[in-house]
């Protein structure tokens, strides 16, 4: 068996984990909203038509905040379509995903659902085809107490109390030509600045998230952020970036090592923030908002070349026709291998806890999601549900600056230690939790904690198995799940080959 050592010293801290680290995302896309979280008439639906089985699974995931309503969807969305009597709401072509939007679920339903589910809403405004005044009106509708057209309309629509939405995204992926109303960095800067101004005039307490760049393949990558932050650094609170990881035939160990690419992605975003701050001699705290991250294998998207990504007109979704209501699209099936990779990505998020202040797993229900719902049945927890739930349960406190000594392997990122750990110290519970990926395809690894010898291993949960392609299905829902492994009360744990583990240490 191979061996490795993790050196931990409680005095060396990377940063505290933000309570918003385990947020998520629900877009009006496919079956995320309709038949996902909202399905009047379903046996598990409550009086509002919200599926209580889905809400229970979300609570179980301990998701603190959910971004809504998009995504690419938001850039064609008029939020006013989704308020008022349901029978009068317009049925529209939804251009971003070639679907039909019935508008039976809108901002009031989302805020009500969020309150019932116990999550904080995070709302994106349309800065593609929408106006800056529409953005201001939406803040007024949600947050102004009463006595004006928009706030009284909210009361008339059933919510006299304001929603007090605190987190607002200034558009979505505005750097991409696939985005409706895509803008150059200069034009986005002007529009976002004016929208921010109006939105803050309405409610000075809101937190604003500016669109940064997300896609390394774009020529504007990071240059977009530099141009935009030059004007917006002091006007916004967070910089958004997105990162999806795809298994595109690069080989198992290369795919498992995707945490390294996410680490670089986050660090590059931080570098551009620091560059702008350095030029301005500013000590402004600007958190990174990684408001879309996940494994996404494009199982139903036909891409002839990467150029197709730049234009949705040549971007074919094979799982449904055009112009359907709640089409079953982007319903990725996640394997054990995908779940291990998600676990690795979560380790990179934690290791960057000093910069990442909000992170949203994209998405949450049915669409590239850990939770699947059957329209005529119950729910299924996909393989990726489990590493996410484990970190959202145990990953609270301070991330420690550790050192690892381990054999290495060669992957597309160079010589890489076979284990990738992160240690989190929780002062409240007194626990030291170590999340660790073992990328070795052949060998278990005996990992020993050093430096804090007063701790003892109290619990070892692991995700592993011989069949990396295994998935959970409605007939076999527990094929991929966390499993308990024996502990001997010492400092070491045996990490199965190709596994993701959560090791809980307690003071002896
Ligand atoms: O999450 C799916 C899509 O991915 C979102 O709509 C968009 O923001 C991103 O490109």
């Amino acid at each position: 068996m191979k061996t490795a050592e993790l050196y931990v010293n409680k005095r060396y801290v990377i940063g505290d984990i933000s309570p918003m680290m385990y947020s998520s995302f629900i877009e009006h896309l496919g079956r995320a909203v309709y038949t996902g979280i909202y399905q009047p008439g379903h046996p598990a639906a409550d009086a509002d038509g919200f599926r209580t089985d889905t809400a229970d699974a979300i609570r179980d995931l301990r998701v603190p905040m959910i971004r809504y309503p998009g995504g690419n969807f938001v850039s064609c969305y008029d939020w006013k379509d989704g308020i008022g009597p349901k029978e009068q709401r317009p049925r529209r072509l939804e251009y971003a995903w070639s679907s039909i939007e019935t508008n039976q679920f809108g901002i009031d339903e989302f805020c009500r659902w969020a309150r019932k589910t116990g999550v904080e809403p995070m709302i994106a405004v349309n800065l593609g085809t929408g106006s800056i005044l529409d953005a201001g009106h939406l803040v007024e509708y949600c947050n102004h107490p009463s006595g004006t057209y928009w706030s009284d309309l909210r009361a008339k629509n059933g919510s006299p109390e304001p929603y007090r939405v605190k987190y607002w995204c200034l558009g979505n992926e505005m750097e991409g030509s696939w985005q409706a109303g895509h803008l150059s960095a200069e034009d986005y800067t002007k529009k976002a600045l004016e929208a921010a101004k109006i939105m803050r005039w309405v409610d000075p307490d809101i937190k604003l998230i500016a669109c940064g760049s997300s896609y390394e393949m774009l020529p504007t990558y990071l240059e977009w952020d530099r141009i935009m932050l030059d004007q917006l650094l002091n006007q916004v609170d967070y910089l958004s970036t997105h990162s999806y990881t795809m298994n595109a035939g690069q080989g198992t160990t290369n795919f498992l090592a995707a945490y390294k690419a996410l680490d670089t992605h986050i660090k590059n975003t931080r570098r551009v923030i620091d560059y702008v701050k350095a030029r301005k001699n500013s000590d402004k705290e600007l958190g990174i908002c990684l408001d879309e991250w996940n494994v996404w294998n494009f199982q139903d998207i036909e891409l002839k070349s990467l150029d197709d990504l730049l234009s949705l007109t040549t971007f074919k979704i094979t799982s449904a026709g055009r112009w359907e209501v709640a089409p079953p699209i982007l319903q990725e099936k996640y394997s054990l291998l995908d779940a291990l990779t998600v676990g690795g990505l979560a380790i990179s998020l934690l290791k960057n806890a000093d910069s990442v202040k909000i992170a949203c797993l994209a998405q949450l229900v049915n669409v590239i999601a850990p939770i699947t719902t059957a329209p005529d049945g119950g729910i299924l927890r996909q393989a990726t549900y489990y590493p996410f739930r484990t970190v959202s349960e145990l990953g609270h406190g301070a991330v420690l600056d550790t050192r690892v000594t381990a054999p290495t392997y060669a992957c597309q990122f160079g010589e890489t230690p076979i284990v990738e750990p992160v240690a989190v110290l929780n002062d409240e519970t007194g626990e030291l939790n170590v999340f660790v990926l073992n990328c070795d395809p052949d060998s278990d690894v005996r990992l020993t904690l050093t430096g804090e010898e007063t701790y003892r291993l109290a619990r070892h949960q692991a995700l592993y198995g011989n069949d990396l392609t295994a998935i959970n299905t409605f007939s076999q829902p527990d094929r991929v799940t966390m499993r308990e492994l024996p502990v001997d009360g010492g400092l070491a744990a045996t990490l199965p080959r190709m596994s993701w583990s959560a090791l809980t240490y307690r003071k002896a």
Side-chain angles (χ1 to χ4, degrees):
M1 188 184 326
K2 293 183 180 168
T3 58
E5 255 182 37
L6 175 66
Y7 175 74
V8 175
N9 186 322
K10 288 201 290 194
R11 270 177 273 176
Y12 302 141
V13 170
I14 291 178
D16 287 332
I17 300 168
S18 158
M20 300 308 180
M21 189 65 106
Y22 308 113
S23 300
S24 192
F25 174 36
I26 287 184
E27 178 168 0
H28 278 250
L29 195 182
R31 296 180 48 244
V33 171
Y34 304 109
T35 72
I37 61 172
Y38 175 75
Q39 191 177 358
H42 186 277
D46 66 11
D48 289 310
F50 304 148
R51 279 187 65 156
T52 55
D53 53 352
T54 315
D56 286 345
I58 292 170
R59 274 188 219 101
D60 185 40
L61 269 185
R62 294 177 166 78
V63 172
M65 180 160 78
I66 297 183
R67 179 170 174 252
Y68 170 88
N72 297 341
F73 169 83
V74 77
S75 295
C76 289
Y77 183 51
D78 183 349
W79 66 270
K80 298 183 289 305
D81 285 347
I83 60 172
K86 291 195 175 179
E87 62 286 358
Q88 289 169 23
R89 296 187 193 176
R91 191 180 156 93
R92 293 201 190 275
L93 289 189
E94 197 294 287
Y95 303 146
W97 298 104
S98 310
S99 310
I100 297 277
E101 175 55 54
T102 62
N103 284 304
Q104 294 304 291
F105 189 99
I107 194 76
D108 291 307
E109 286 78 22
F110 180 69
C111 290
R112 190 173 171 76
W113 174 84
R115 196 164 289 170
K116 278 186 160 183
T117 309
V119 300
E120 180 147 6
M122 175 182 180
I123 307 288
V125 298
N126 176 354
L127 287 196
T129 61
S131 78
I132 55 174
L133 193 58
D134 276 344
H137 288 160
L138 180 54
V139 178
E140 184 181 340
Y141 185 85
C142 289
N143 289 4
H144 192 71
S146 63
T148 66
Y149 176 79
W150 291 111
S151 56
D152 289 347
L153 187 58
R154 179 195 68 238
K156 189 174 157 213
N157 288 338
S159 301
E161 275 299 299
Y163 298 130
R164 297 187 187 88
V165 177
K166 191 167 162 193
Y167 294 91
W168 294 85
C169 306
L170 296 166
N172 175 71
E173 290 187 356
M174 292 301 301
E175 93 275 27
S177 61
W178 57 86
Q179 202 66 213
H182 154 65
L183 297 170
S184 67
E186 290 81 0
D187 289 344
Y188 172 73
T189 304
K190 281 188 207 148
K191 192 166 182 181
L193 186 61
E194 293 307 309
K197 192 165 84 183
I198 293 179
M199 292 163 78
R200 278 241 169 79
W201 281 344
V202 178
D203 182 350
D205 294 330
I206 58 176
K207 300 280 181 203
L208 293 173
I209 300 143
C211 281
S213 59
S214 299
Y215 296 94
E216 282 85 350
M217 68 196 178
L218 294 183
T220 51
Y221 181 60
L222 297 182
E223 179 62 0
W224 162 283
D225 308 58
R226 184 195 66 76
I227 293 167
M228 187 265 292
L229 288 179
D230 196 45
Q231 304 293 312
L232 286 184
L233 180 68
N234 291 320
Q235 315 303 328
V236 296
D237 304 283
Y238 300 89
L239 176 67
S240 155
T241 186
H242 297 169
S243 175
Y244 287 104
T245 296
M246 189 194 285
N247 189 349
Q250 65 270 54
T252 303
T253 42
N254 283 330
F255 180 52
L256 271 181
Y259 63 86
K260 290 189 76 87
L262 179 60
D263 183 67
T264 303
H265 184 90
I266 294 169
K267 290 204 163 66
N268 284 341
T269 304
R270 180 168 175 163
R271 285 180 187 123
V272 73
I273 295 172
D274 286 344
Y275 174 70
V276 175
K277 281 168 64 174
R279 278 174 50 104
K280 292 179 174 296
N281 197 17
S282 162
D283 56 7
K284 159 96 188 204
E285 299 263 326
L286 187 79
I288 293 176
C289 173
L290 184 68
D291 46 20
E292 293 186 30
W293 73 272
N294 205 346
V295 166
W296 181 4
N297 291 329
F298 277 42
Q299 288 170 348
D300 62 349
I301 289 186
E302 237 174 47
L303 271 184
K304 285 187 212 77
S305 84
L306 268 188
D307 286 349
D308 287 0
L309 269 182
L310 303 181
S311 159
L312 274 180
T313 50
T314 49
F315 188 103
K316 191 168 173 219
I317 301 180
T318 54
S319 49
R322 283 158 61 80
W323 315 130
E324 292 179 21
V325 176
I329 60 175
L330 275 53
Q331 299 198 152
E332 298 273 311
K333 307 252 183 305
Y334 286 115
S335 66
L336 170 59
L337 177 60
D338 296 323
L340 296 174
T341 303
V342 164
L345 298 176
I347 289 172
S348 284
L349 285 186
L350 294 176
K351 283 185 138 175
N352 287 283
D354 52 341
S355 355
V356 178
K357 297 300 168 189
I358 300 175
C360 302
L361 180 74
Q363 298 192 11
L364 186 56
V365 181
N366 289 330
V367 172
I368 39 177
I371 300 169
T372 301
T373 69
D376 51 0
I379 66 149
L380 172 73
R381 289 166 170 81
Q382 290 228 52
T384 52
Y385 188 93
Y386 293 99
F388 188 80
R389 185 178 72 173
T390 307
V391 282
S392 72
E393 181 190 352
L394 300 175
H396 298 279
V399 177
L400 302 181
D401 191 2
T402 57
R403 295 291 179 275
V404 68
T405 313
T408 59
Y409 71 105
C411 73
Q412 66 180 37
F413 305 103
E415 272 305 308
T416 304
I418 47 169
V419 291
E420 173 67 4
V422 64
V424 177
L425 184 67
N426 185 331
D427 272 338
E428 276 170 34
T429 61
E431 283 178 359
L432 177 68
N433 282 293
V434 174
F435 305 104
V436 53
L437 184 67
N438 174 10
C439 296
D440 198 299
D442 307 309
S443 173
D444 295 356
V445 175
R446 185 82 176 151
L447 176 75
T448 305
L449 183 88
T450 64
E452 294 288 349
E453 277 82 10
T454 53
Y455 283 90
R456 291 289 172 269
L457 183 60
R459 188 175 181 198
H460 181 179
Q461 305 171 66
L463 192 63
Y464 65 101
N466 287 331
D467 182 4
L468 291 176
T469 65
I471 61 169
N472 291 338
T473 59
F474 280 96
S475 52
Q476 281 187 293
D478 300 319
R479 268 188 88 196
V480 186
T481 181
M482 299 299 294
R483 293 197 254 165
E484 297 286 334
L485 289 179
V487 292
D488 61 11
L491 287 160
T494 300
L495 313 174
R497 69 181 188 97
M498 283 203 273
S499 64
W500 184 87
S501 291
L503 310 174
T504 301
Y505 289 87
R506 300 201 179 102
K507 281 267 185 192

